[in-house]
Amino acid sequence: MKKLFCLLLAFILFSCNQKEKITKEKLSEKTHETELMSELYGSWVGDFVSENQHDDGQEMHVNKINISIKKITNSEVTGRCIVAGNNRPLTGRMTKKGNSVHFVLHEPGDDKNDGVFEFEIKNDTLLVGTWTANNPKKAVRIRSFSLTKKDFRYNPYVMLPSEGMYVDYQNPKVEKVAIVDEGDESENKDESEIEYENSSLYRIASESIMTINSSTQKLTESDLKNLKKIDLEILRNTIFARHGLTFKTKTVRQFFDQVEWYIPVSSDVYSQLTKIEKENIVILKRFEKYAEDNYDSFGR
């Protein structure tokens, strides 16, 4: 009986070793597969667009997305999707047809916001496709994108563009304002007769955010004491934007997603900050605690 048991145990161990050997061989074959089209490797960057249908029309939401292709072989494609504070691995397959290369890449599926990217790269210059959520009940099920290849390089000297205004559309203050018709003598009306409407007021950044470089200039109290809270927030986040941080909040993304040099490449860049940047973040956060904002009427 003991001999039979030993023979059975030896057989089981042999079978396990054989399975392990086959698995390792398959893994080795996969690891040593010839890589293809390395010219497509790198960051593909552009707008990640969704359209929501409402009773009063369509509302468009745009985030900046980076689809990073890491490796292409005949059996598998790997990469990452970096957008709106998320940094997700991608795996899938590639097929080639004429001048177009077609990809179907899946996020892991262990997050409620995961989905599938399906896209083509045409003539090695333009990546166009759609993302579909795994969850069929998700409010925004499909998003589209059209991306171009861009190399990320940290540059402490890039500044926010001086064109236009930097308005915080995400956090308006709503006030009731009396409706006054031309020639209307409201001062003679009783309070109960006055009609009111809601008016949205917004925070607007000053020109300081385009002239102060929070990555190269050692900031002092005199530099910051007259700045608004929104100025301080933008100056602090510009440091992270230069390093390619993907921002989670819409409040921050609205200021950087449309900036040409900004490319989201990571969800954690703190270890890459310079000594000056780290010191500037500390003083900026200290001033943000006590700074105030003024709100202005400003239409979109």
Side-chain angles (χ1 to χ4, degrees):
M1 187 72 181
K2 189 176 179 182
K3 191 185 247 185
L4 184 62
F5 175 76
C6 289
L7 283 170
L8 186 60
L9 182 62
F11 177 75
I12 291 169
L13 288 171
F14 176 77
S15 299
C16 289
N17 287 335
Q18 284 298 101
K19 284 180 182 176
E20 189 178 343
K21 188 179 175 185
I22 292 167
T23 304
K24 282 181 178 177
E25 284 174 358
K26 284 183 178 178
L27 228 97
S28 179
E29 284 174 16
K30 203 170 186 180
T31 304
H32 292 95
E33 271 191 296
T34 303
E35 293 190 35
L36 309 170
M37 295 180 286
S38 58
E39 67 275 8
L40 301 182
Y41 292 10
S43 295
W44 294 81
V45 184
D47 291 338
F48 195 41
V49 182
S50 67
E51 292 186 7
N52 288 352
Q53 195 75 39
H54 296 285
D55 293 338
D56 53 352
Q58 284 187 330
E59 183 182 4
M60 184 176 288
H61 295 277
V62 180
N63 294 324
K64 182 170 278 191
I65 189 172
N66 174 4
I67 293 178
S68 175
I69 297 176
K70 304 287 187 183
K71 187 177 179 180
I72 302 172
T73 68
N74 277 322
S75 66
E76 188 178 51
V77 178
T78 59
R80 297 197 79 83
C81 156
I82 306 156
V83 60
N86 295 310
N87 187 346
R88 305 291 285 158
L90 300 173
T91 55
R93 299 293 296 270
M94 172 274 298
T95 54
K96 193 172 182 182
K97 200 172 186 181
N99 292 328
S100 295
V101 188
H102 185 79
F103 293 81
V104 178
L105 302 182
H106 299 258
E107 292 175 294
D110 55 1
D111 185 279
K112 63 179 181 179
N113 295 313
D114 280 354
V116 180
F117 287 88
E118 189 167 349
F119 57 86
E120 285 187 343
I121 299 180
K122 301 177 181 178
N123 301 317
D124 298 351
T125 57
L126 187 66
L127 187 155
V128 180
T130 58
W131 170 87
T132 305
N134 293 338
N135 180 3
K137 295 180 180 179
K138 193 170 174 62
V140 179
R141 182 90 204 281
I142 298 175
R143 293 175 183 264
S144 61
F145 47 87
S146 179
L147 316 178
T148 54
K149 201 160 182 292
K150 291 185 178 181
D151 293 326
F152 171 79
R153 287 185 180 84
Y154 166 66
N155 182 352
Y157 298 100
V158 288
M159 301 291 287
L160 290 176
S162 56
E163 304 85 23
M165 300 175 74
Y166 291 81
V167 182
D168 179 9
Y169 288 116
Q170 295 299 322
N171 303 286
K173 183 196 287 186
V174 179
E175 288 188 353
K176 284 189 174 182
V177 179
I179 301 173
V180 181
D181 294 328
E182 200 170 327
D184 185 17
E185 297 180 1
S186 350
E187 63 273 10
N188 298 324
K189 285 185 177 181
D190 293 333
E191 179 66 29
S192 58
E193 297 178 309
I194 299 175
E195 292 184 24
Y196 292 87
E197 65 179 358
N198 289 333
S199 177
S200 295
L201 305 176
Y202 301 92
R203 303 191 302 161
I204 304 175
S206 73
E207 292 182 0
S208 300
I209 63 168
M210 295 169 265
T211 58
I212 295 175
N213 189 322
S214 48
S215 286
T216 61
Q217 177 183 341
K218 182 73 172 73
L219 301 179
T220 64
E221 293 191 4
S222 60
D223 295 323
L224 307 178
K225 65 182 180 182
N226 294 320
L227 297 185
K228 296 183 283 188
K229 189 179 180 72
I230 188 174
D231 297 333
L232 299 166
E233 290 171 357
I234 292 175
L235 286 172
R236 176 169 55 83
N237 283 300
T238 303
I239 294 172
F240 294 107
R242 292 186 180 108
H243 286 274
L245 180 70
T246 177
F247 296 107
K248 291 185 178 182
T249 66
K250 289 182 181 179
T251 299
V252 180
R253 289 201 304 271
Q254 67 184 330
F255 301 122
F256 297 102
D257 273 2
Q258 303 307 314
V259 176
E260 181 65 25
W261 54 257
Y262 170 62
I263 300 175
V265 294
S266 177
S267 49
D268 184 6
V269 300
Y270 189 78
S271 62
Q272 299 163 31
L273 302 181
T274 66
K275 184 173 181 289
I276 285 180
E277 287 174 330
K278 288 178 180 178
E279 290 172 351
N280 283 344
I281 287 169
V282 171
I283 192 171
L284 284 163
K285 288 179 87 171
R286 177 155 60 88
F287 271 76
E288 281 176 48
K289 284 183 181 180
Y290 306 104
E292 296 181 354
D293 278 313
N294 56 307
Y295 287 75
D296 299 309
S297 177
F298 188 83
R300 283 180 178 268

